[in-house]
Amino acid sequence: MSRTDDVYVVGCGMRPFGRDENVTGMDMAERAVREALADAGVSWEDIGYAAGGSDVSGKPDTLVGRLGLTGVPFVNVQNGCATGASTVLAVASALRAGEASLGLAVGFDKHERGAFNVSAARYGLGDWYAETGLMLTTQFFALKTQRYLHEHGISQRALAMVAARAFRNGSHHPLAWRREPLTEQEILDSAEVSPPLTQYMFCSPGQGAAALVLARGDRAFDLCERPVRLASLAFRTRRFGSFEVFAPWLPPGPHRSPSVDAAEAAFRTAGVGPADVRVAQLQDTDSGSELIHLAETGLCGHGEQEELLAGGDTDPSGRIPVNTDGGCLAGGEPVGASGLRQFHEVVRQLQGRAPGVQVPGAPRVGFTHVYGAPGISACSVLTV
């Protein structure tokens, strides 16, 4: 593949995550888009293809009424926690197909306080499933984590290590929501939500927006001093028998997560392996999910996580820095924007201009991973 056929990130923008009752989801999206355009040094009129995603905050294509009625093709995406990555996939595919030389991906959401309100019927399940409380994802992830800890001999303290590192990273990041570091003991002692997960081991539904400008290789190096190459982006759904969000049954024996499939495909297409990654973003809607995803994506072996965390290997100065911006635990999760937040952070890290703690040693390979209901995963490899 020639440079012309490659796709690069040349601009990124992000509205700080958290809560702001003075703006709408659309307001946040517009600001993120304008920041990304300015970062790339282009105008909205230069964009030849766009995709946007939001779970609850409106139709993304209506942003053209604010940005300009240029006739640009604009695809709406709604794909759970993988929404942001799906918008990037849509834009990158269009650029590679020659439909445009510049594209834009945007994601945003403004969730209400409290747990996500999910309809059982929307996932093909009967009312009985919701009436028993199983639509509460806190219960599902706790059950999955409890089983995983038991199978691999991992202690509850490892869950606290994940959260403590997330809040520590978030305390240094101007775009994070949770900016106060917490100790492992404070996290362990916080209110129990669903054993073994406590209050500070879960992220919160939040508000925010993020956007990327992507360019074909024949434009990228004219627009950006250090464009970041989208070396691969793989998307997978669940296989038969896998135990995923809202699964009403669990088969005996081992199963294969969609995260395993997506990560393997992403690394294979990019021509690199997990050992080459120098900065990673993993879905951490709760501490247990990050532990599981570390192994499912190949960044470590099953059962190795506690030693990895205790040794500081996932810290910004460690061997494989993870969620350097604090991830979902410190940033919260506006569903439509969460995946694009990951891209924003990895791109800035690879360019040496991270808004929080910069990973030392000029990292050249980054990785992103998202996972969501009802069992979908998207992984990307980014390089400079």
Side-chain angles (χ1 to χ4, degrees):
M1 181 180 287
S2 68
R3 176 184 286 185
T4 299
D5 297 318
D6 281 334
V7 172
Y8 294 81
V9 179
V10 296
C12 48
M14 182 172 156
R15 166 79 182 184
F17 283 18
R19 292 201 177 278
D20 186 344
E21 304 309 326
N22 297 315
V23 295
T24 67
M26 286 288 183
D27 292 335
M28 293 186 288
E30 180 185 356
R31 294 182 191 182
V33 169
R34 294 194 184 281
E35 182 179 322
L37 293 170
D39 191 42
V42 300
S43 66
W44 173 245
E45 288 73 18
D46 297 316
I47 299 298
Y49 195 94
S54 176
D55 190 55
V56 298
S57 295
K59 289 177 85 280
D61 63 332
T62 60
L63 282 168
V64 300
R66 297 165 173 247
L67 299 168
L69 301 176
T70 63
V72 63
F74 199 121
V75 175
N76 289 331
V77 178
Q78 191 176 43
N79 216 2
C81 298
T83 293
S86 299
T87 65
V88 176
L89 180 62
V91 174
S93 296
L95 298 188
R96 289 194 178 103
E99 294 190 34
S101 60
L102 282 178
L104 182 129
V106 58
F108 60 97
D109 260 312
K110 186 178 173 70
H111 298 290
E112 298 299 325
R113 296 178 185 275
F116 288 115
N117 185 15
V118 184
S119 163
R122 184 178 176 186
Y123 288 89
L125 297 167
D127 290 341
W128 66 269
Y129 192 83
E131 290 166 357
T132 59
L134 292 173
M135 291 304 290
L136 287 173
T137 54
T138 52
Q139 292 196 50
F140 168 82
F141 286 118
L143 286 168
K144 189 171 185 177
T145 296
Q146 190 80 282
R147 174 175 173 152
Y148 190 86
L149 298 185
H150 172 74
E151 288 180 340
H152 298 286
I154 300 172
S155 76
Q156 188 186 21
R157 184 161 290 276
L159 301 173
M161 291 182 196
V162 168
R165 190 210 61 234
F167 293 125
R168 191 164 58 245
N169 289 349
S171 71
H172 299 294
H173 204 286
L175 301 178
W177 181 11
R178 308 299 189 193
R179 304 288 303 282
E180 181 180 345
L182 296 173
T183 67
E184 293 171 19
Q185 197 58 49
E186 287 175 321
I187 293 163
L188 287 168
D189 292 341
S190 64
E192 189 173 78
V193 178
S194 293
L197 298 170
T198 66
Q199 176 183 352
Y200 295 125
M201 294 176 187
F202 282 103
C203 80
S204 300
Q207 303 172 1
L212 301 177
V213 175
L214 295 97
R216 283 171 56 92
D218 53 354
R219 292 288 308 277
F221 289 82
D222 293 331
L223 295 171
C224 183
E225 181 178 345
R226 194 172 175 81
V228 174
R229 176 173 170 254
L230 181 63
S232 65
L233 176 52
F235 189 99
R236 295 292 186 273
T237 57
R238 65 197 186 281
R239 294 174 182 257
F240 175 78
S242 62
F243 186 49
E244 312 301 340
V245 188
F246 306 140
W249 58 283
L250 173 63
H255 67 276
R256 187 177 176 89
S257 162
S259 294
V260 175
D261 289 336
E264 287 184 355
F267 285 125
R268 183 172 58 251
T269 299
V272 301
D276 298 307
V277 174
R278 291 295 174 265
V279 58
Q281 284 278 343
L282 300 178
Q283 182 86 8
D284 64 331
T285 39
D286 64 274
S287 295
S289 290
E290 183 187 302
L291 278 183
I292 296 170
H293 295 146
L294 271 166
E296 287 185 341
T297 58
L299 296 176
C300 74
H302 292 284
E304 296 176 359
Q305 295 96 323
E306 190 159 2
E307 181 179 355
L308 199 73
L309 290 159
D313 285 347
T314 65
D315 290 345
S317 59
R319 178 175 63 81
I320 172 61
V322 174
N323 294 339
T324 47
D325 60 349
C328 289
L329 288 170
E333 188 180 31
V335 168
S338 190
L340 286 166
R341 171 192 56 78
Q342 294 187 339
F343 278 94
H344 182 280
E345 176 67 10
V346 171
V347 166
R348 292 291 183 94
Q349 289 285 352
L350 296 182
Q351 292 176 329
R353 55 179 189 137
V357 177
Q358 175 66 49
V359 170
R364 299 185 61 83
V365 178
F367 178 77
T368 72
H369 159 271
V370 289
Y371 167 85
I376 52 179
S377 182
C379 295
S380 78
V381 174
L382 297 153
T383 63
V384 290

